[in-house]
Amino acid sequence: MSQDVIRDESARVPLIYDPRVRSIFFQVLLVVLLALGVWWIVDNTIENLRRSNISTGFAFLRGRAGFDISDRLIDYTSDSSYGRALLVGIANTLAVAAAGIVTATILGFLVGIGRLSNNWLIRKLAMVYVEIFRNIPPLLVILFWYQGVLAVLPSVRDSLSLPLGSYLNNRGFYFPRLVWEPGSGLILAGFIAAIVLSWYVARRARARQMATGERFPVFLTSVALIVGLPLLAYVVSGMPISVDYPQKGTFNLTGGTNVRPEFLSLYLALSFYTASFIAEIVRAGIMGVPKGQTEAYSALGLRSNDGLRLVVIPQAMRIIIPPLTSQYLNLTKNSSLAVAIGYPDLYAVGGTILNQTGQAIEVVVIFMTVYLSISIITSLFMNWFNTKMALKER
């Protein structure tokens, strides 16, 4: 059959049977249906709000809040606006999420490595920890720390004395506070310079080791820089920092800084709960590294600790990081359970604002936007870190 006949046959085929035409048609149809669905939802919502005489928009954020917030990282009073109150809630959410992620990561790695320990007692203790915390709802873990641990601590009069002038009682953890006086900016500059120099030393030491095989004491050098430079700046600037210690009275503690039991309960619960999942992720990642890698570093004369740190864990990170990202996101979103113990996170503060203003849709949109933004930023950072940790051919 000639080419002209084939083209004539193709020309007579209906367009509906052309895969390219059908794919474009169904994609356009899907977009139109989605647009109609969104338009229907928005129009129906606006009509229902109009019938209920409820105004829409975010102008309410400029109104006076009229309620106090116990835990706050930024300045706030009852005369502040609703927008300021939401900023306090967002800051509290970020604080407990950041502290929980750091603690859960460290604890999870330790427990995960302990699950593979040759010591029978350590291995079984790590297994018991994982099986207990992984199978209990996080809300119960929060209530356990709040009602079962911190609530039964002594009263202020019988506070537990801790090192460095700290106290622990059923009103929270009190510890000394640094008072930054004029001229203390030089200390901060010294600390930042020490961080930058430590990063530079680590990078140069790695390049040197890759080129010559010689190792450099990076850890000790970094510690000396991070401690020494700020200390030198402190002495040079005339010691512009004083310490405000908590003072125990009959009915209360004055001075210092107080971490309230609501924050401690949420922080400890989320950390211990998420660490049990991270431990299993770490164990699976280490077990995913071929056994030959262990035999290889043993043949080179490396000890188990050095081999695990330099050979096994760097290869296991490409398995660990993707599910680790999900646990970080879960911890951040589980912080909304703080409403059960009265910790003023974003969800709790937003709920109070919703009850006072009736702006349900706007408040829920703010919830969705904030949590989505935090999740996207966390995912982007972890994807970047995963790319940096990926194995590359030399």
Side-chain angles (χ1 to χ4, degrees), residues 103-376:
T103 305
T105 302
I106 296 173
L107 184 59
F109 265 81
L110 294 176
V111 175
I113 295 173
R115 289 271 278 146
L116 300 173
S117 174
N118 294 325
N119 187 296
W120 181 88
L121 181 60
I122 294 177
R123 188 170 65 252
K124 293 301 180 183
L125 287 175
M127 182 191 69
V128 170
Y129 169 84
V130 169
E131 294 302 326
I132 289 177
F133 281 96
R134 192 177 58 168
N135 293 293
I136 297 178
L139 180 59
L140 292 182
V141 181
I142 294 173
L143 294 176
F144 163 76
W145 282 104
Y146 188 65
Q147 299 289 350
V149 177
L150 297 178
V152 299
L153 288 174
S155 61
V156 174
R157 180 178 300 179
D158 302 320
S159 297
L160 299 175
S161 297
L162 301 177
L164 302 177
S166 303
Y167 295 94
L168 183 63
N169 53 57
N170 56 11
R171 294 188 184 179
F173 174 55
Y174 294 78
F175 57 93
R177 177 173 62 93
L178 296 178
V179 180
W180 300 82
E181 300 172 356
S184 57
L186 184 62
I187 301 173
L188 179 61
F191 178 75
I192 295 175
I195 295 294
V196 174
L197 288 175
S198 299
W199 171 82
Y200 178 76
V201 168
R203 185 171 182 177
R204 293 294 300 172
R206 180 176 178 82
R208 174 189 175 187
Q209 183 176 357
M210 296 296 292
T212 65
E214 298 182 11
R215 299 178 62 182
F216 186 79
V218 176
F219 178 76
L220 294 178
T221 304
S222 300
V223 170
L225 287 172
I226 293 174
V227 175
L229 281 182
L231 185 61
L232 178 62
Y234 172 72
V235 175
V236 170
S237 58
M239 302 181 181
I241 297 180
S242 59
V243 181
D244 181 20
Y245 289 95
Q247 302 295 327
K248 186 169 68 171
T250 304
F251 302 104
N252 202 356
L253 281 162
T254 58
T257 300
N258 175 27
V259 180
R260 297 173 64 87
E262 291 80 12
F263 176 87
L264 288 175
S265 302
L266 186 64
Y267 157 68
L268 293 173
L270 294 180
S271 300
F272 277 73
Y273 175 78
T274 308
S276 62
F277 290 89
I278 294 178
E280 288 298 274
I281 293 172
V282 171
R283 182 175 72 92
I286 293 175
M287 293 182 67
V289 177
K291 187 178 179 181
Q293 298 296 314
T294 303
E295 297 172 348
Y297 77 68
S298 299
L300 293 174
L302 287 176
R303 294 177 297 180
S304 297
N305 293 338
D306 292 335
L308 185 67
R309 179 173 57 88
L310 299 174
V311 179
V312 176
I313 289 183
Q315 297 184 65
M317 290 301 291
R318 60 190 175 91
I319 305 174
I320 294 172
I321 292 176
L324 189 64
T325 304
S326 298
Q327 294 305 318
Y328 289 168
L329 300 180
N330 288 338
L331 187 149
T332 302
K333 290 178 285 190
N334 283 337
S335 65
S336 60
L337 295 173
V339 68
I341 56 174
Y343 178 71
D345 74 321
L346 170 63
Y347 184 78
V349 173
T352 302
I353 295 174
L354 188 153
N355 291 332
Q356 290 188 359
T357 63
Q359 304 290 334
I361 295 177
E362 290 82 355
V363 172
V364 171
V365 168
I366 292 173
F367 288 164
M368 295 170 60
T369 303
V370 172
Y371 283 116
L372 181 62
S373 300
I374 295 174
S375 298
I376 290 176

